[in-house]
Amino acid sequence: MIAGKELQGVIVATILLLIAGALPYYGSDYLLSLGITIAMFTVLATSWALFSGPTHYISLATAAFFGLGTYTAGLGIETLPFWVLIGLAGVLGAGLAALVGLATLRLSGVYFVIFTLGLAELVRQVITWGQNMTGQKGLYVLTDFTEANLYQMLVALGAAVFLVGWLINRSRLGFALRIIGDDETVAAHSGINTALAKVLLFMVSGAVAAMTGAILAPRYVYIEPALAFTPLLSFQVVIMALLGGVHRLWGPIVGVIPFTIILETISANFPNQVTLFIGIVFLVIVYFIPRGFAGLIEQMRDWSRSREGLT
Amino acid sequence: MDIVIIGLLLGGTYALIAMGLNLQYGVARIMNLANGEMLVAGGFTAFWFYTAGNISPLLTIFIVAPVAFAANWLIYRIMLEPLVRRAKSRGQLEVDSILATFGMSFIAVGLMLAFFGGDYFNYSFLAVPVTIMGDTYAQNRVVAFLAAVVICAILYAWITYSRTGLSLRAIAVSPESARLAGINVRQRAAIAFALGGAITAVGGALISSFLTLDASAGVAFTLKALIIVIMGGVGDVRGTIIAALLLGVVETLVASLIDPGLTLAAAYTLFILVLLFRPQGLFGRKPT
Amino acid sequence: MSEAVLSLRGVTKRFGGLIAVNTIDFQVRPGQVVGLIGPNGSGKSTTLNLISGALPLTEGEIHLRGSTISGLRADKIARRGISRTFQLVRLLPSMTVEQNIIAGAVFGHRRRWGAEARQEAARLVERVGLVGKGNMAVGQLTYIDTKRVELARALASDPTVLLLDEWLAGLNPTELQVGIDLIHSLRDEGRTIVLVEHVMDAIRSLCDYCVVMSSGAKIAEGTPSQVLSDPEVIRAYLGDDDA
């Protein structure tokens, strides 16, 4: 059953999605390239928030999943069709997430952060070492896909993420995660298998990040560990999601768009100041907008409503 | 055998850094993810004094320590105390402090890049061999190790026997009870945080005498210090020292027997094993 | 006498060297209200935590309707039919009163979802005396109302055994009478309840049976009037004559 307000939301989302998906037909090359970055971070940040929003676990494993997906595509591109590789990347990402989740999600949040922070670095060092042993350097991913193809794949994946997120929010699993986020002890005593619920959601987020990595592999053409497992990616995802607001499904995208545009501008003009900028945004979020732009928007809406109520 | 000794020498300086982080997390309850940047800053200072004025890092630490203490005290008072005050639960403080210190870490890296550029820096201090038990080692490593041992010993004695040390241990066990016992928890937490930062910076100055650092090297050290603290047990000085020595040895073994590119992977594998089998730390009691 | 619903056999909990609960045995029969009483620090709440699975036990066994529940995780125990309230009220701060109650209805012993869960929550809102407050944020509630929400959440899964950890503590005299009446009405419904309580009036009027603990051990059991006149119980509460 879909209530009127929800139906409105679905229609608006579908229209926006169609407009976004049609970008290659009306946008310039520059716009398309920016669009790919935005679509990529939207997918990553939204799926990140699906897990971290309700549970408050800060995952820095995005780069690990992303790199895993990139390498899956890179290694299999000669033998398997691309869509199979995307699916395979999703399965592997979910598998890695399950392993990480089972090892760490029983423990406190700090352990989880540290674990995920090191994960990308661990995988990167191991792959680099493996390549040194076999004498191989990097991988070529040569396909016929155009930028527009890849962009539309990302938009489709994004649509799937929004749909899954919407379904989860309406499901028992989503409700269970909200309870866990509020009070894990109460959740357990209400009959929720807290570890399973957290691991399941983390698997969703890991699978999506790996699929994103697989889709983008052809864009890099030549992949090597330092490129596929760049730790900065994890931080960018965290910051964009938090900037937008993780308590709403549409929150992260509100953070992704402005952040990506500003970051592109800064890295084009002042490449040395990128880290400084990211650091400042982190502090701004913590000290001034803990609920992100989505929180601000809601606050303003409530405020204007209460003013209307007065007059 | 010589690999084990090199590992222990490295572990000694690791112990110092991890002690700094442990003080900050155990007493001030701040998981400081900008810890590695404090280390690099200490290293930078030592480098600068040595290349500009030919001043030994062993003397520089007497400047680094008070400056880092003051800087960290200010950071705690201005940036972190508001978070402590507004936190409704330990979990919220954890998330806030993780994000805030990540922000500080990025800012610190950004500032160091702006002022010093992205180059690696090293200098040659006491790069002469010494012979211990028939094998030769770089003198700078031995000297840094001895300095770390002396500082650790002083710190351990201070925490164990002094009045302030006792109050810090009391806060580590239970901030609420410590408050009831008349301890000014806020002030002491700031002191612990500042002291932790000072120790880490001193560790950085010592490490810079034998390792090459650059502006973005901090995060690897943060990760190692975190792993040591968790292995050794939060608030456990002896555990920290043993875990640090263990990590130093394992890293050195992996680097010399398999591949130097795998040091962090080795540290991380050790961490996974501890998490899976002894999440309360190597010597910690099972949580009840 | 009917078969026991809940039985504890040799239940022991050690924290390092401290024995918090020492080889406790007792049984709860269907429809019975059993009071777990004793001076502060005697191990009552710990015992309740062992039953609900909040803490693992060191030794002993707990059975619910003949099947072993000791050693299971808290969520499994909740599904088998034990639900509880907490000594310090724990509500879900981001949710409304009704959502808090639904939280108890979805994953526990009896599971409902959607309209069915909402109906049950609405019924319980009325049942515990929160009429008209279903959509309120839990932060706006008075103390006794927060206790009511927690009780309703525990009832929402239709538990076989309900554990109340000092549910009446902290209420003022008027509220206390309201609270006792509410628990009494649950007893009249035929609910099986284990409660940890300090309020003597409540123990006398609510409990069919009492288990008295002191320093982790069971020192007496029987009807409230029996145990409250037992010299050893009096000594445990008041200390020795010469003390």
Side-chain angles (χ1 to χ4, degrees):
Chain A
M1 214 186 66
I2 298 175
K5 214 179 150 197
E6 275 190 318
L7 185 68
Q8 209 183 342
V10 170
I11 293 170
V12 170
T14 314
I15 293 171
L16 288 177
L17 195 73
L18 289 175
I19 296 174
L23 177 71
Y25 305 111
Y26 59 80
S28 64
D29 282 355
Y30 170 75
L31 220 53
L32 183 61
S33 151
L34 187 66
I36 290 189
T37 313
I38 287 178
M40 165 182 128
F41 279 116
T42 302
V43 173
L44 293 175
T46 309
S47 67
W48 184 88
L50 279 184
F51 166 74
S52 294
T55 59
H56 312 302
Y57 277 94
I58 299 168
S59 160
L60 290 166
T62 313
F65 297 128
F66 185 90
L68 181 71
T70 314
Y71 263 80
T72 308
L75 290 169
I77 199 74
E78 305 278 314
T79 41
L80 290 167
F82 193 60
W83 61 270
V84 174
L85 290 173
I86 297 176
L88 187 64
V91 172
L92 292 174
L96 181 63
L99 287 178
V100 175
L102 288 173
T104 53
L105 285 172
R106 296 171 293 135
L107 305 163
S108 97
V110 169
Y111 293 68
F112 183 75
V113 177
I114 298 160
F115 198 93
T116 54
L117 174 61
L119 188 63
E121 192 61 18
L122 171 76
V123 183
R124 189 180 68 78
Q125 287 199 346
V126 171
I127 291 185
T128 311
W129 176 69
Q131 289 187 339
N132 287 343
M133 296 303 280
T134 55
Q136 205 183 358
K137 277 288 162 255
L139 288 170
Y140 282 97
V141 188
L142 301 171
T143 59
D144 299 329
F145 293 121
T146 61
E147 292 256 291
N149 294 145
L150 299 177
Y151 171 78
Q152 280 167 336
M153 284 185 221
L154 283 176
V155 173
L157 183 60
V161 170
F162 275 102
L163 184 67
V164 167
W166 184 67
L167 290 174
I168 288 176
N169 282 345
R170 293 163 56 89
S171 73
R172 285 167 218 232
L173 179 60
F175 189 50
L177 280 161
R178 280 182 59 201
I179 300 171
I180 293 171
D182 266 10
D183 190 328
E184 192 155 344
T185 307
V186 169
H189 283 96
S190 305
I192 296 169
N193 185 340
T194 54
L196 181 71
K198 287 188 281 187
V199 170
L200 280 179
L201 250 273
F202 191 49
M203 284 169 72
V204 171
S205 132
V208 172
M211 288 163 85
T212 314
I215 293 175
L216 283 166
R219 196 186 191 213
Y220 296 133
V221 183
Y222 180 76
I223 51 178
E224 51 178 3
L227 181 79
F229 294 95
T230 162
L232 192 63
L233 180 80
S234 303
F235 286 100
Q236 284 174 317
V237 168
V238 171
I239 209 162
M240 291 185 209
L242 291 172
L243 185 67
V246 291
H247 61 291
R248 290 279 174 263
L249 190 55
W250 52 268
I253 197 170
V254 193
V256 167
I257 295 173
F259 188 88
T260 309
I261 293 171
I262 296 174
L263 196 66
E264 291 263 307
T265 318
I266 290 181
S267 46
N269 300 311
F270 318 96
N272 282 330
Q273 312 306 327
V274 170
T275 22
L276 191 61
F277 171 69
I278 291 179
I280 290 169
V281 178
F282 255 122
L283 294 188
V284 167
I285 293 171
V286 174
Y287 292 97
F288 302 109
I289 43 171
R291 283 165 68 80
F293 288 150
L296 279 186
I297 293 170
E298 283 171 343
Q299 234 173 14
M300 270 153 56
R301 206 168 52 192
D302 290 349
W303 182 72
S304 69
R305 254 187 217 152
S306 66
R307 269 180 58 111
E308 271 170 37
L310 286 176
T311 50
Chain B
M1 189 58 209
D2 55 334
I3 298 175
V4 174
I5 292 182
I6 291 178
L8 288 175
L9 293 178
L10 182 66
T13 26
Y14 280 177
L16 199 57
I17 304 161
M19 291 257 267
L21 186 72
N22 210 338
L23 265 177
Q24 295 185 325
Y25 187 52
V27 181
R29 298 283 195 258
I30 300 287
M31 181 43 93
N32 183 9
L33 297 168
N35 185 267
E37 277 65 43
M38 193 47 65
L39 179 147
V40 175
F44 258 132
T45 316
F47 166 77
W48 190 75
F49 272 92
Y50 190 78
T51 45
N54 208 12
I55 297 168
S56 152
L58 291 175
L59 294 175
T60 313
I61 60 174
F62 291 100
I63 302 161
V64 167
V67 173
F69 186 92
N72 279 277
W73 191 83
L74 286 174
I75 289 175
Y76 184 82
R77 275 279 145 123
I78 298 169
M79 306 289 288
L80 299 171
E81 230 180 64
L83 299 182
V84 176
R85 238 177 271 151
R86 85 174 186 199
K88 291 193 194 80
S89 64
R90 178 125 191 227
Q92 198 198 341
L93 177 61
E94 210 162 82
V95 172
D96 277 351
S97 61
I98 286 169
L99 295 175
T101 54
F102 263 140
M104 291 172 204
S105 146
F106 274 101
I107 290 177
V109 172
L111 290 177
M112 287 193 281
L113 275 176
F115 288 121
F116 306 104
D119 297 337
Y120 291 94
F121 65 96
N122 63 348
Y123 53 98
S124 137
F125 167 71
L126 293 180
V128 287
V130 286
T131 310
I132 304 169
M133 293 194 294
D135 289 306
T136 50
Y137 305 96
Q139 197 178 346
N140 48 25
R141 284 181 186 256
V142 179
V143 168
F145 174 77
L146 292 176
V149 169
V150 169
I151 296 168
C152 278
I154 294 172
L155 190 69
Y156 181 71
W158 182 74
I159 287 178
T160 315
Y161 300 110
S162 81
R163 244 181 109 82
T164 320
L166 177 69
S167 69
L168 295 187
R169 279 186 293 143
I171 298 171
V173 176
S174 167
E176 282 74 32
S177 314
R179 191 170 288 123
L180 293 178
I183 296 170
N184 185 340
V185 173
R186 247 180 220 158
Q187 183 210 28
R188 290 291 147 87
I191 289 177
F193 190 86
L195 189 62
I199 292 167
T200 304
V202 167
L206 293 177
I207 274 187
S208 72
S209 69
F210 61 91
L211 284 185
T212 302
L213 298 173
D214 70 292
S216 46
V219 65
F221 287 102
T222 306
L223 208 56
K224 284 176 193 174
L226 288 169
I227 290 173
I228 292 167
V229 169
I230 289 170
M231 278 204 300
V234 175
D236 182 345
V237 175
R238 271 171 301 176
T240 303
I241 292 172
I242 293 169
L245 295 177
L246 183 67
L247 185 72
V249 171
V250 168
E251 253 189 46
T252 316
L253 281 175
V254 169
S256 45
L257 298 180
I258 307 176
D259 190 312
L262 287 176
T263 53
L264 206 58
Y268 195 66
T269 312
L270 204 59
F271 176 55
I272 294 175
L273 293 176
V274 170
L275 272 192
L276 289 179
F277 300 108
R278 289 199 67 82
Q280 69 275 29
L282 288 176
F283 312 99
R285 281 216 200 111
K286 277 213 154 127
T288 44
Chain C
M1 273 212 144
S2 53
E3 188 66 19
V5 192
L6 182 72
S7 66
L8 280 75
R9 236 179 275 152
V11 169
T12 301
K13 178 66 186 178
R14 277 189 220 106
F15 294 108
L18 175 82
I19 305 179
V21 175
N22 195 354
T23 51
I24 291 286
D25 303 87
F26 68 84
Q27 299 200 322
V28 181
R29 294 178 198 292
Q32 233 182 4
V33 176
V34 171
L36 209 49
I37 63 175
N40 284 327
S42 58
K44 312 175 298 285
S45 279
T46 309
T47 307
L48 219 56
N49 285 335
L50 295 174
I51 300 173
S52 76
L55 295 171
L57 30 167
T58 317
E59 276 164 39
E61 280 186 355
I62 301 174
H63 300 277
L64 179 70
R65 280 191 170 146
S67 67
T68 313
I69 56 165
S70 43
L72 296 180
R73 279 196 321 259
D75 58 297
K76 291 251 164 102
I77 293 176
R79 287 191 181 192
R80 296 281 181 95
I82 290 186
S83 66
R84 68 170 297 172
T85 64
F86 295 88
Q87 198 171 356
L88 302 168
V89 184
R90 302 181 86 130
L91 296 182
L92 305 166
S94 79
M95 302 188 188
T96 64
V97 168
E98 191 187 34
Q99 287 170 323
N100 262 275
I101 300 173
I102 293 177
V106 184
F107 309 97
H109 179 227
R110 182 160 169 211
R111 299 195 227 167
R112 284 167 275 209
W113 180 239
E116 213 188 334
R118 278 195 298 275
Q119 267 165 26
E120 175 64 11
R123 190 184 72 77
L124 284 166
V125 162
E126 217 165 301
R127 179 72 185 77
V128 300
L130 288 167
V131 177
K133 294 176 181 163
N135 290 322
M136 274 170 82
V138 292
Q140 301 169 296
L141 296 175
T142 60
Y143 184 62
I144 187 171
D145 281 350
T146 61
K147 296 226 149 197
R148 284 178 157 132
V149 175
E150 212 186 22
L151 181 65
R153 187 176 67 208
L155 287 170
S157 62
D158 191 16
T160 314
V161 177
L162 177 64
L163 308 177
L164 301 178
D165 196 351
E166 298 196 23
W167 194 81
L168 296 164
L171 301 182
N172 68 35
T174 338
E175 291 173 336
L176 186 61
Q177 197 48 51
V178 177
I180 291 178
D181 290 345
L182 182 54
I183 308 285
H184 217 284
S185 69
L186 294 176
R187 179 196 142 106
D188 295 343
E189 263 179 18
R191 290 243 166 245
T192 310
I193 300 173
V194 177
L195 48 88
V196 166
E197 204 47 76
H198 279 300
V199 183
M200 284 301 161
D201 286 346
I203 294 164
R204 279 205 190 83
S205 66
L206 291 173
C207 298
D208 300 297
Y209 200 77
C210 283
V211 175
V212 190
M213 291 179 71
S214 178
S215 312
K218 182 173 82 178
I219 57 167
E221 61 183 317
T223 63
S225 51
Q226 274 171 350
V227 298
L228 293 178
S229 57
D230 186 315
E232 204 183 337
V233 174
I234 295 167
R235 199 163 41 243
Y237 267 100
L238 300 176
D240 289 319
D241 287 344
D242 54 359

